[in-house]
Amino acid sequence: MQLYLAPMEGVVDHQVRDLLSALGGLDGCVTEFIRVTDNLLPRRVFRRYAPELDNQCLTPSGTPVKVQLLGGQPEPVALNAQRAVQAGALALDLNFGCPAKTVNKSDGGACLLRQPERVNAIVAAVRAAVPESISVSAKIRLGFEDTSRYLDNALAVSEAGASELTVHARTKSDGYKPPAYWEYIASIREAVSIPIVANGEIWSPADFERCRAVTGCERFMLGRGLLARPDLARAIRAQVSGEDYTPMAWPEVCQLLHRYYRMSQPHYPTKHNGNRIKQWLMYLQREYPQAATFFEQIKREREPARLEAAFKTAA
Ligand SMILES: Cc1cc2nc3c(=O)[nH]c(=O)nc-3n(C[C@H](O)[C@H](O)[C@H](O)COP(=O)(O)O)c2cc1C
């Protein structure tokens, strides 16, 4: 069984990957998407999204990281894939799921799911452009407006030579609204020969069990669930192996958040200070009522000294 941390633009940066992978239970991570238009991106862009490139594509605790690209034209995506490999990438992932308007206007992400032949051309171009030793995978939703082409898109990815396919079991129109339609993942798994990673709405070990039963998959990607419950991967593994498990308590979660605050703070201007932890607290509220109280306390706070003091009382 494999458990991956989902890519989340503006949320799961390299520091979050570092903190969550250090907790254990994860087999891999994916960077936020790097948008490709017509230009060849400078190496520094890849390094900014994936500082792990300088550490053999591993988080500090040794979890592999894939570099994700998003673009609508085979040639520029393939050339940038080569550039990512030159910068040190060992595994690439191609994004065909992003619902953001700005992204779809610039012709990338989920809108490509309306044209499976284009999905196929992009994956094939990247596969051909990089050495065999570099793995190329893709991530799709079930469709753009509807699910009519979900199998075509899955086949488009597998026939283009990808080694793995992640399926976020919703269409672009579904956004992030529950439920996730895991039953479609089961049909994809039966129709294609490459490993399928099931994704969407796994918030607890019980959700995981249901998703596993419905999809028949052995690979899973956890997004918002891992932010709401940072030890979710560990808890899932304990459930699978039948071990007793004590969930992470709030003081430990608060320490993790504090570490993130200290790591991220130097990188943001004062007016955005604390925004990243406020964002994480929004996810944590789902599992920890204390997170809601802490959020209320600091929501308008930007002063480093006052935020530091708030952490002392929050734990
Ligand atoms: C804020 C946010 C940013 C996301 N950014 C990306 C991204 O950069 N690349 C990608 O493939 N998916 C992205 N996703 C989708 C997630 O990887 C995942 O497919 C989705 O959240 C469903 O999984 P979950 O229910 O476990 O959260 C994003 C999702 C959210 C909520």
Side-chain angles (χ1 to χ4, degrees), residues 21-57:
S21 64
L23 292 178
L26 287 170
D27 299 290
C29 308
V30 187
T31 66
E32 299 162 81
F33 69 78
I34 303 176
R35 189 183 316 183
V36 170
T37 50
D38 293 337
N39 303 331
L40 200 51
L41 295 166
R43 273 181 190 222
R44 67 168 186 280
V45 173
F46 296 101
R47 288 232 166 75
R48 191 172 72 228
Y49 280 93
E52 295 97 338
L53 290 173
D54 292 330
N55 184 39
Q56 292 156 25
C57 293

PDB file of all heavy atoms in Angstrom, residues 21-57:
ATOM      1  N   SER A  21       5.895  14.958   6.015  1.00  0.00           N
ATOM      2  CA  SER A  21       6.591  13.694   5.721  1.00  0.00           C
ATOM      3  C   SER A  21       7.417  13.253   6.927  1.00  0.00           C
ATOM      4  O   SER A  21       7.577  12.057   7.164  1.00  0.00           O
ATOM      5  CB  SER A  21       7.440  13.793   4.452  1.00  0.00           C
ATOM      6  OG  SER A  21       8.471  14.734   4.615  1.00  0.00           O
ATOM      7  N   ALA A  22       7.891  14.223   7.728  1.00  0.00           N
ATOM      8  CA  ALA A  22       8.675  13.854   8.915  1.00  0.00           C
ATOM      9  C   ALA A  22       7.819  13.123   9.952  1.00  0.00           C
ATOM     10  O   ALA A  22       8.339  12.383  10.785  1.00  0.00           O
ATOM     11  CB  ALA A  22       9.298  15.105   9.536  1.00  0.00           C
ATOM     12  N   LEU A  23       6.504  13.317   9.892  1.00  0.00           N
ATOM     13  CA  LEU A  23       5.640  12.614  10.859  1.00  0.00           C
ATOM     14  C   LEU A  23       5.547  11.121  10.550  1.00  0.00           C
ATOM     15  O   LEU A  23       5.157  10.326  11.396  1.00  0.00           O
ATOM     16  CB  LEU A  23       4.223  13.207  10.846  1.00  0.00           C
ATOM     17  CG  LEU A  23       4.071  14.626  11.374  1.00  0.00           C
ATOM     18  CD1 LEU A  23       2.619  15.063  11.251  1.00  0.00           C
ATOM     19  CD2 LEU A  23       4.522  14.714  12.830  1.00  0.00           C
ATOM     20  N   GLY A  24       5.856  10.759   9.310  1.00  0.00           N
ATOM     21  CA  GLY A  24       5.864   9.332   8.952  1.00  0.00           C
ATOM     22  C   GLY A  24       4.567   8.886   8.294  1.00  0.00           C
ATOM     23  O   GLY A  24       3.540   9.563   8.358  1.00  0.00           O
ATOM     24  N   GLY A  25       4.658   7.739   7.597  1.00  0.00           N
ATOM     25  CA  GLY A  25       3.462   7.155   6.985  1.00  0.00           C
ATOM     26  C   GLY A  25       3.271   7.490   5.524  1.00  0.00           C
ATOM     27  O   GLY A  25       2.421   6.907   4.868  1.00  0.00           O
ATOM     28  N   LEU A  26       4.071   8.438   5.005  1.00  0.00           N
ATOM     29  CA  LEU A  26       3.885   8.842   3.603  1.00  0.00           C
ATOM     30  C   LEU A  26       4.961   8.236   2.711  1.00  0.00           C
ATOM     31  O   LEU A  26       6.130   8.179   3.085  1.00  0.00           O
ATOM     32  CB  LEU A  26       3.949  10.374   3.485  1.00  0.00           C
ATOM     33  CG  LEU A  26       2.745  11.142   4.022  1.00  0.00           C
ATOM     34  CD1 LEU A  26       3.038  12.637   4.061  1.00  0.00           C
ATOM     35  CD2 LEU A  26       1.509  10.866   3.158  1.00  0.00           C
ATOM     36  N   ASP A  27       4.550   7.830   1.502  1.00  0.00           N
ATOM     37  CA  ASP A  27       5.490   7.250   0.539  1.00  0.00           C
ATOM     38  C   ASP A  27       5.925   8.248  -0.522  1.00  0.00           C
ATOM     39  O   ASP A  27       6.830   7.952  -1.301  1.00  0.00           O
ATOM     40  CB  ASP A  27       4.833   6.063  -0.178  1.00  0.00           C
ATOM     41  CG  ASP A  27       4.464   4.983   0.814  1.00  0.00           C
ATOM     42  OD1 ASP A  27       5.365   4.347   1.344  1.00  0.00           O
ATOM     43  OD2 ASP A  27       3.254   4.821   1.084  1.00  0.00           O
ATOM     44  N   GLY A  28       5.246   9.374  -0.622  1.00  0.00           N
ATOM     45  CA  GLY A  28       5.628  10.320  -1.660  1.00  0.00           C
ATOM     46  C   GLY A  28       4.834  11.608  -1.558  1.00  0.00           C
ATOM     47  O   GLY A  28       3.784  11.661  -0.908  1.00  0.00           O
ATOM     48  N   CYS A  29       5.394  12.647  -2.201  1.00  0.00           N
ATOM     49  CA  CYS A  29       4.744  13.954  -2.252  1.00  0.00           C
ATOM     50  C   CYS A  29       4.814  14.456  -3.695  1.00  0.00           C
ATOM     51  O   CYS A  29       5.605  13.951  -4.493  1.00  0.00           O
ATOM     52  CB  CYS A  29       5.490  14.984  -1.401  1.00  0.00           C
ATOM     53  SG  CYS A  29       5.823  14.519   0.291  1.00  0.00           S
ATOM     54  N   VAL A  30       4.025  15.471  -3.992  1.00  0.00           N
ATOM     55  CA  VAL A  30       4.040  16.102  -5.315  1.00  0.00           C
ATOM     56  C   VAL A  30       4.108  17.607  -5.089  1.00  0.00           C
ATOM     57  O   VAL A  30       3.429  18.127  -4.199  1.00  0.00           O
ATOM     58  CB  VAL A  30       2.759  15.758  -6.113  1.00  0.00           C
ATOM     59  CG1 VAL A  30       2.847  16.279  -7.537  1.00  0.00           C
ATOM     60  CG2 VAL A  30       2.482  14.263  -6.096  1.00  0.00           C
ATOM     61  N   THR A  31       4.890  18.305  -5.892  1.00  0.00           N
ATOM     62  CA  THR A  31       4.966  19.771  -5.721  1.00  0.00           C
ATOM     63  C   THR A  31       3.658  20.412  -6.162  1.00  0.00           C
ATOM     64  O   THR A  31       2.861  19.810  -6.880  1.00  0.00           O
ATOM     65  CB  THR A  31       6.076  20.391  -6.595  1.00  0.00           C
ATOM     66  OG1 THR A  31       5.721  20.228  -7.985  1.00  0.00           O
ATOM     67  CG2 THR A  31       7.433  19.791  -6.303  1.00  0.00           C
ATOM     68  N   GLU A  32       3.492  21.677  -5.797  1.00  0.00           N
ATOM     69  CA  GLU A  32       2.430  22.493  -6.386  1.00  0.00           C
ATOM     70  C   GLU A  32       2.668  22.510  -7.891  1.00  0.00           C
ATOM     71  O   GLU A  32       3.808  22.350  -8.341  1.00  0.00           O
ATOM     72  CB  GLU A  32       2.545  23.916  -5.855  1.00  0.00           C
ATOM     73  CG  GLU A  32       2.393  24.017  -4.351  1.00  0.00           C
ATOM     74  CD  GLU A  32       2.935  25.337  -3.813  1.00  0.00           C
ATOM     75  OE1 GLU A  32       2.240  26.352  -3.889  1.00  0.00           O
ATOM     76  OE2 GLU A  32       4.086  25.345  -3.313  1.00  0.00           O
ATOM     77  N   PHE A  33       1.626  22.758  -8.684  1.00  0.00           N
ATOM     78  CA  PHE A  33       1.849  22.750 -10.129  1.00  0.00           C
ATOM     79  C   PHE A  33       2.730  23.934 -10.558  1.00  0.00           C
ATOM     80  O   PHE A  33       2.633  25.020 -10.005  1.00  0.00           O
ATOM     81  CB  PHE A  33       0.534  22.737 -10.919  1.00  0.00           C
ATOM     82  CG  PHE A  33      -0.280  23.997 -10.839  1.00  0.00           C
ATOM     83  CD1 PHE A  33       0.044  25.138 -11.573  1.00  0.00           C
ATOM     84  CD2 PHE A  33      -1.408  24.037 -10.029  1.00  0.00           C
ATOM     85  CE1 PHE A  33      -0.720  26.291 -11.509  1.00  0.00           C
ATOM     86  CE2 PHE A  33      -2.189  25.183  -9.950  1.00  0.00           C
ATOM     87  CZ  PHE A  33      -1.841  26.320 -10.688  1.00  0.00           C
ATOM     88  N   ILE A  34       3.588  23.634 -11.505  1.00  0.00           N
ATOM     89  CA  ILE A  34       4.417  24.677 -12.111  1.00  0.00           C
ATOM     90  C   ILE A  34       3.816  24.933 -13.484  1.00  0.00           C
ATOM     91  O   ILE A  34       3.750  24.023 -14.321  1.00  0.00           O
ATOM     92  CB  ILE A  34       5.888  24.222 -12.246  1.00  0.00           C
ATOM     93  CG1 ILE A  34       6.439  23.832 -10.866  1.00  0.00           C
ATOM     94  CG2 ILE A  34       6.738  25.299 -12.910  1.00  0.00           C
ATOM     95  CD1 ILE A  34       7.856  23.277 -10.868  1.00  0.00           C
ATOM     96  N   ARG A  35       3.335  26.157 -13.703  1.00  0.00           N
ATOM     97  CA  ARG A  35       2.623  26.422 -14.947  1.00  0.00           C
ATOM     98  C   ARG A  35       3.586  26.667 -16.107  1.00  0.00           C
ATOM     99  O   ARG A  35       4.527  27.441 -15.994  1.00  0.00           O
ATOM    100  CB  ARG A  35       1.715  27.627 -14.785  1.00  0.00           C
ATOM    101  CG  ARG A  35       0.819  27.783 -15.988  1.00  0.00           C
ATOM    102  CD  ARG A  35      -0.035  28.978 -15.908  1.00  0.00           C
ATOM    103  NE  ARG A  35      -0.608  29.118 -14.563  1.00  0.00           N
ATOM    104  CZ  ARG A  35      -1.452  30.080 -14.243  1.00  0.00           C
ATOM    105  NH1 ARG A  35      -1.821  30.947 -15.146  1.00  0.00           N
ATOM    106  NH2 ARG A  35      -1.911  30.174 -13.019  1.00  0.00           N
ATOM    107  N   VAL A  36       3.311  25.992 -17.223  1.00  0.00           N
ATOM    108  CA  VAL A  36       4.151  26.130 -18.409  1.00  0.00           C
ATOM    109  C   VAL A  36       3.330  26.822 -19.484  1.00  0.00           C
ATOM    110  O   VAL A  36       2.203  26.399 -19.763  1.00  0.00           O
ATOM    111  CB  VAL A  36       4.537  24.715 -18.923  1.00  0.00           C
ATOM    112  CG1 VAL A  36       5.196  24.809 -20.269  1.00  0.00           C
ATOM    113  CG2 VAL A  36       5.410  23.995 -17.912  1.00  0.00           C
ATOM    114  N   THR A  37       3.862  27.879 -20.051  1.00  0.00           N
ATOM    115  CA  THR A  37       3.200  28.463 -21.235  1.00  0.00           C
ATOM    116  C   THR A  37       4.109  28.173 -22.418  1.00  0.00           C
ATOM    117  O   THR A  37       4.410  27.023 -22.687  1.00  0.00           O
ATOM    118  CB  THR A  37       2.903  29.955 -21.017  1.00  0.00           C
ATOM    119  OG1 THR A  37       4.090  30.588 -20.550  1.00  0.00           O
ATOM    120  CG2 THR A  37       1.792  30.149 -20.004  1.00  0.00           C
ATOM    121  N   ASP A  38       4.566  29.238 -23.131  1.00  0.00           N
ATOM    122  CA  ASP A  38       5.423  28.945 -24.290  1.00  0.00           C
ATOM    123  C   ASP A  38       6.902  28.904 -23.943  1.00  0.00           C
ATOM    124  O   ASP A  38       7.712  28.439 -24.724  1.00  0.00           O
ATOM    125  CB  ASP A  38       5.227  30.021 -25.362  1.00  0.00           C
ATOM    126  CG  ASP A  38       3.832  29.924 -25.935  1.00  0.00           C
ATOM    127  OD1 ASP A  38       3.247  28.841 -25.845  1.00  0.00           O
ATOM    128  OD2 ASP A  38       3.344  30.941 -26.446  1.00  0.00           O
ATOM    129  N   ASN A  39       7.228  29.460 -22.783  1.00  0.00           N
ATOM    130  CA  ASN A  39       8.656  29.680 -22.509  1.00  0.00           C
ATOM    131  C   ASN A  39       9.308  28.524 -21.777  1.00  0.00           C
ATOM    132  O   ASN A  39       8.650  27.769 -21.069  1.00  0.00           O
ATOM    133  CB  ASN A  39       8.830  30.924 -21.628  1.00  0.00           C
ATOM    134  CG  ASN A  39       8.214  32.117 -22.283  1.00  0.00           C
ATOM    135  OD1 ASN A  39       8.162  32.175 -23.515  1.00  0.00           O
ATOM    136  ND2 ASN A  39       7.711  33.041 -21.477  1.00  0.00           N
ATOM    137  N   LEU A  40      10.616  28.492 -21.951  1.00  0.00           N
ATOM    138  CA  LEU A  40      11.406  27.559 -21.165  1.00  0.00           C
ATOM    139  C   LEU A  40      11.662  28.241 -19.820  1.00  0.00           C
ATOM    140  O   LEU A  40      12.209  29.344 -19.767  1.00  0.00           O
ATOM    141  CB  LEU A  40      12.719  27.311 -21.909  1.00  0.00           C
ATOM    142  CG  LEU A  40      13.491  26.066 -21.561  1.00  0.00           C
ATOM    143  CD1 LEU A  40      12.613  24.825 -21.614  1.00  0.00           C
ATOM    144  CD2 LEU A  40      14.658  25.920 -22.533  1.00  0.00           C
ATOM    145  N   LEU A  41      11.241  27.601 -18.766  1.00  0.00           N
ATOM    146  CA  LEU A  41      11.384  28.235 -17.451  1.00  0.00           C
ATOM    147  C   LEU A  41      12.825  28.120 -16.967  1.00  0.00           C
ATOM    148  O   LEU A  41      13.478  27.097 -17.193  1.00  0.00           O
ATOM    149  CB  LEU A  41      10.464  27.546 -16.439  1.00  0.00           C
ATOM    150  CG  LEU A  41       8.968  27.689 -16.710  1.00  0.00           C
ATOM    151  CD1 LEU A  41       8.165  26.700 -15.870  1.00  0.00           C
ATOM    152  CD2 LEU A  41       8.514  29.110 -16.397  1.00  0.00           C
ATOM    153  N   PRO A  42      13.313  29.162 -16.305  1.00  0.00           N
ATOM    154  CA  PRO A  42      14.668  29.052 -15.755  1.00  0.00           C
ATOM    155  C   PRO A  42      14.725  28.021 -14.622  1.00  0.00           C
ATOM    156  O   PRO A  42      13.721  27.778 -13.948  1.00  0.00           O
ATOM    157  CB  PRO A  42      14.959  30.452 -15.221  1.00  0.00           C
ATOM    158  CG  PRO A  42      13.683  31.191 -15.229  1.00  0.00           C
ATOM    159  CD  PRO A  42      12.667  30.440 -16.038  1.00  0.00           C
ATOM    160  N   ARG A  43      15.911  27.438 -14.469  1.00  0.00           N
ATOM    161  CA  ARG A  43      16.077  26.418 -13.419  1.00  0.00           C
ATOM    162  C   ARG A  43      15.627  26.876 -12.049  1.00  0.00           C
ATOM    163  O   ARG A  43      15.150  26.100 -11.239  1.00  0.00           O
ATOM    164  CB  ARG A  43      17.556  26.057 -13.301  1.00  0.00           C
ATOM    165  CG  ARG A  43      17.959  24.979 -14.229  1.00  0.00           C
ATOM    166  CD  ARG A  43      19.413  24.706 -13.994  1.00  0.00           C
ATOM    167  NE  ARG A  43      19.900  23.830 -15.026  1.00  0.00           N
ATOM    168  CZ  ARG A  43      20.716  22.817 -14.813  1.00  0.00           C
ATOM    169  NH1 ARG A  43      21.183  22.584 -13.610  1.00  0.00           N
ATOM    170  NH2 ARG A  43      21.106  22.061 -15.797  1.00  0.00           N
ATOM    171  N   ARG A  44      15.823  28.190 -11.795  1.00  0.00           N
ATOM    172  CA  ARG A  44      15.504  28.678 -10.443  1.00  0.00           C
ATOM    173  C   ARG A  44      14.016  28.514 -10.126  1.00  0.00           C
ATOM    174  O   ARG A  44      13.633  28.373  -8.972  1.00  0.00           O
ATOM    175  CB  ARG A  44      15.959  30.125 -10.248  1.00  0.00           C
ATOM    176  CG  ARG A  44      15.238  31.130 -11.069  1.00  0.00           C
ATOM    177  CD  ARG A  44      15.515  32.580 -10.654  1.00  0.00           C
ATOM    178  NE  ARG A  44      14.646  33.449 -11.419  1.00  0.00           N
ATOM    179  CZ  ARG A  44      14.879  33.815 -12.662  1.00  0.00           C
ATOM    180  NH1 ARG A  44      15.975  33.440 -13.278  1.00  0.00           N
ATOM    181  NH2 ARG A  44      14.020  34.589 -13.310  1.00  0.00           N
ATOM    182  N   VAL A  45      13.170  28.522 -11.155  1.00  0.00           N
ATOM    183  CA  VAL A  45      11.733  28.330 -10.905  1.00  0.00           C
ATOM    184  C   VAL A  45      11.490  26.927 -10.357  1.00  0.00           C
ATOM    185  O   VAL A  45      10.759  26.733  -9.384  1.00  0.00           O
ATOM    186  CB  VAL A  45      10.914  28.560 -12.199  1.00  0.00           C
ATOM    187  CG1 VAL A  45       9.446  28.191 -11.994  1.00  0.00           C
ATOM    188  CG2 VAL A  45      11.046  30.008 -12.649  1.00  0.00           C
ATOM    189  N   PHE A  46      12.148  25.944 -10.981  1.00  0.00           N
ATOM    190  CA  PHE A  46      11.975  24.562 -10.499  1.00  0.00           C
ATOM    191  C   PHE A  46      12.499  24.433  -9.074  1.00  0.00           C
ATOM    192  O   PHE A  46      11.906  23.760  -8.233  1.00  0.00           O
ATOM    193  CB  PHE A  46      12.676  23.577 -11.437  1.00  0.00           C
ATOM    194  CG  PHE A  46      12.070  23.574 -12.820  1.00  0.00           C
ATOM    195  CD1 PHE A  46      12.670  24.255 -13.864  1.00  0.00           C
ATOM    196  CD2 PHE A  46      10.875  22.924 -13.051  1.00  0.00           C
ATOM    197  CE1 PHE A  46      12.092  24.274 -15.128  1.00  0.00           C
ATOM    198  CE2 PHE A  46      10.289  22.935 -14.307  1.00  0.00           C
ATOM    199  CZ  PHE A  46      10.899  23.609 -15.345  1.00  0.00           C
ATOM    200  N   ARG A  47      13.629  25.103  -8.818  1.00  0.00           N
ATOM    201  CA  ARG A  47      14.207  25.017  -7.465  1.00  0.00           C
ATOM    202  C   ARG A  47      13.322  25.689  -6.428  1.00  0.00           C
ATOM    203  O   ARG A  47      13.241  25.251  -5.289  1.00  0.00           O
ATOM    204  CB  ARG A  47      15.574  25.721  -7.444  1.00  0.00           C
ATOM    205  CG  ARG A  47      16.620  24.967  -8.167  1.00  0.00           C
ATOM    206  CD  ARG A  47      17.843  24.788  -7.252  1.00  0.00           C
ATOM    207  NE  ARG A  47      18.725  23.791  -7.808  1.00  0.00           N
ATOM    208  CZ  ARG A  47      19.516  24.017  -8.850  1.00  0.00           C
ATOM    209  NH1 ARG A  47      19.523  25.197  -9.435  1.00  0.00           N
ATOM    210  NH2 ARG A  47      20.295  23.063  -9.291  1.00  0.00           N
ATOM    211  N   ARG A  48      12.657  26.784  -6.872  1.00  0.00           N
ATOM    212  CA  ARG A  48      11.794  27.488  -5.921  1.00  0.00           C
ATOM    213  C   ARG A  48      10.618  26.587  -5.516  1.00  0.00           C
ATOM    214  O   ARG A  48      10.281  26.480  -4.347  1.00  0.00           O
ATOM    215  CB  ARG A  48      11.290  28.783  -6.565  1.00  0.00           C
ATOM    216  CG  ARG A  48      10.615  29.713  -5.575  1.00  0.00           C
ATOM    217  CD  ARG A  48      10.302  31.054  -6.172  1.00  0.00           C
ATOM    218  NE  ARG A  48       9.203  30.976  -7.123  1.00  0.00           N
ATOM    219  CZ  ARG A  48       9.222  31.513  -8.336  1.00  0.00           C
ATOM    220  NH1 ARG A  48      10.288  32.156  -8.779  1.00  0.00           N
ATOM    221  NH2 ARG A  48       8.175  31.404  -9.138  1.00  0.00           N
ATOM    222  N   TYR A  49      10.004  25.939  -6.485  1.00  0.00           N
ATOM    223  CA  TYR A  49       8.876  25.054  -6.159  1.00  0.00           C
ATOM    224  C   TYR A  49       9.347  23.772  -5.480  1.00  0.00           C
ATOM    225  O   TYR A  49       8.608  23.170  -4.714  1.00  0.00           O
ATOM    226  CB  TYR A  49       8.115  24.662  -7.435  1.00  0.00           C
ATOM    227  CG  TYR A  49       7.166  25.724  -7.914  1.00  0.00           C
ATOM    228  CD1 TYR A  49       7.558  26.657  -8.855  1.00  0.00           C
ATOM    229  CD2 TYR A  49       5.873  25.800  -7.404  1.00  0.00           C
ATOM    230  CE1 TYR A  49       6.686  27.635  -9.305  1.00  0.00           C
ATOM    231  CE2 TYR A  49       4.997  26.769  -7.830  1.00  0.00           C
ATOM    232  CZ  TYR A  49       5.400  27.691  -8.785  1.00  0.00           C
ATOM    233  OH  TYR A  49       4.531  28.649  -9.204  1.00  0.00           O
ATOM    234  N   ALA A  50      10.551  23.354  -5.835  1.00  0.00           N
ATOM    235  CA  ALA A  50      11.023  22.053  -5.329  1.00  0.00           C
ATOM    236  C   ALA A  50      12.474  22.157  -4.859  1.00  0.00           C
ATOM    237  O   ALA A  50      13.385  21.672  -5.529  1.00  0.00           O
ATOM    238  CB  ALA A  50      10.904  20.996  -6.429  1.00  0.00           C
ATOM    239  N   PRO A  51      12.705  22.785  -3.699  1.00  0.00           N
ATOM    240  CA  PRO A  51      14.080  22.829  -3.180  1.00  0.00           C
ATOM    241  C   PRO A  51      14.626  21.414  -2.967  1.00  0.00           C
ATOM    242  O   PRO A  51      15.839  21.225  -2.899  1.00  0.00           O
ATOM    243  CB  PRO A  51      13.948  23.573  -1.848  1.00  0.00           C
ATOM    244  CG  PRO A  51      12.628  24.229  -1.878  1.00  0.00           C
ATOM    245  CD  PRO A  51      11.755  23.452  -2.816  1.00  0.00           C
ATOM    246  N   GLU A  52      13.736  20.438  -2.902  1.00  0.00           N
ATOM    247  CA  GLU A  52      14.163  19.037  -2.737  1.00  0.00           C
ATOM    248  C   GLU A  52      15.010  18.574  -3.915  1.00  0.00           C
ATOM    249  O   GLU A  52      15.694  17.547  -3.817  1.00  0.00           O
ATOM    250  CB  GLU A  52      12.945  18.123  -2.595  1.00  0.00           C
ATOM    251  CG  GLU A  52      12.094  18.358  -1.347  1.00  0.00           C
ATOM    252  CD  GLU A  52      10.881  19.252  -1.622  1.00  0.00           C
ATOM    253  OE1 GLU A  52      10.913  20.024  -2.623  1.00  0.00           O
ATOM    254  OE2 GLU A  52       9.913  19.198  -0.849  1.00  0.00           O
ATOM    255  N   LEU A  53      14.978  19.302  -5.045  1.00  0.00           N
ATOM    256  CA  LEU A  53      15.813  18.929  -6.197  1.00  0.00           C
ATOM    257  C   LEU A  53      17.282  18.877  -5.806  1.00  0.00           C
ATOM    258  O   LEU A  53      18.061  18.123  -6.383  1.00  0.00           O
ATOM    259  CB  LEU A  53      15.624  19.935  -7.342  1.00  0.00           C
ATOM    260  CG  LEU A  53      14.261  19.913  -8.053  1.00  0.00           C
ATOM    261  CD1 LEU A  53      14.155  21.053  -9.041  1.00  0.00           C
ATOM    262  CD2 LEU A  53      14.036  18.575  -8.747  1.00  0.00           C
ATOM    263  N   ASP A  54      17.652  19.694  -4.829  1.00  0.00           N
ATOM    264  CA  ASP A  54      19.050  19.701  -4.378  1.00  0.00           C
ATOM    265  C   ASP A  54      19.315  18.626  -3.331  1.00  0.00           C
ATOM    266  O   ASP A  54      20.403  18.555  -2.776  1.00  0.00           O
ATOM    267  CB  ASP A  54      19.414  21.077  -3.806  1.00  0.00           C
ATOM    268  CG  ASP A  54      19.429  22.130  -4.902  1.00  0.00           C
ATOM    269  OD1 ASP A  54      19.728  21.768  -6.054  1.00  0.00           O
ATOM    270  OD2 ASP A  54      19.133  23.306  -4.612  1.00  0.00           O
ATOM    271  N   ASN A  55      18.308  17.817  -3.034  1.00  0.00           N
ATOM    272  CA  ASN A  55      18.479  16.744  -2.047  1.00  0.00           C
ATOM    273  C   ASN A  55      17.988  15.425  -2.653  1.00  0.00           C
ATOM    274  O   ASN A  55      17.219  14.698  -2.023  1.00  0.00           O
ATOM    275  CB  ASN A  55      17.687  17.105  -0.766  1.00  0.00           C
ATOM    276  CG  ASN A  55      17.888  16.101   0.354  1.00  0.00           C
ATOM    277  OD1 ASN A  55      19.003  15.612   0.555  1.00  0.00           O
ATOM    278  ND2 ASN A  55      16.823  15.770   1.065  1.00  0.00           N
ATOM    279  N   GLN A  56      18.425  15.184  -3.893  1.00  0.00           N
ATOM    280  CA  GLN A  56      18.021  13.950  -4.606  1.00  0.00           C
ATOM    281  C   GLN A  56      16.511  13.750  -4.640  1.00  0.00           C
ATOM    282  O   GLN A  56      16.015  12.622  -4.568  1.00  0.00           O
ATOM    283  CB  GLN A  56      18.682  12.727  -3.977  1.00  0.00           C
ATOM    284  CG  GLN A  56      20.169  12.719  -4.199  1.00  0.00           C
ATOM    285  CD  GLN A  56      20.890  11.904  -3.155  1.00  0.00           C
ATOM    286  OE1 GLN A  56      20.325  11.005  -2.553  1.00  0.00           O
ATOM    287  NE2 GLN A  56      22.142  12.219  -2.944  1.00  0.00           N
ATOM    288  N   CYS A  57      15.787  14.869  -4.700  1.00  0.00           N
ATOM    289  CA  CYS A  57      14.311  14.838  -4.778  1.00  0.00           C
ATOM    290  C   CYS A  57      13.678  14.174  -3.572  1.00  0.00           C
ATOM    291  O   CYS A  57      12.653  13.483  -3.698  1.00  0.00           O
ATOM    292  CB  CYS A  57      13.835  14.145  -6.043  1.00  0.00           C
ATOM    293  SG  CYS A  57      14.260  15.069  -7.465  1.00  0.00           S
TER     294      CYS A  57
END
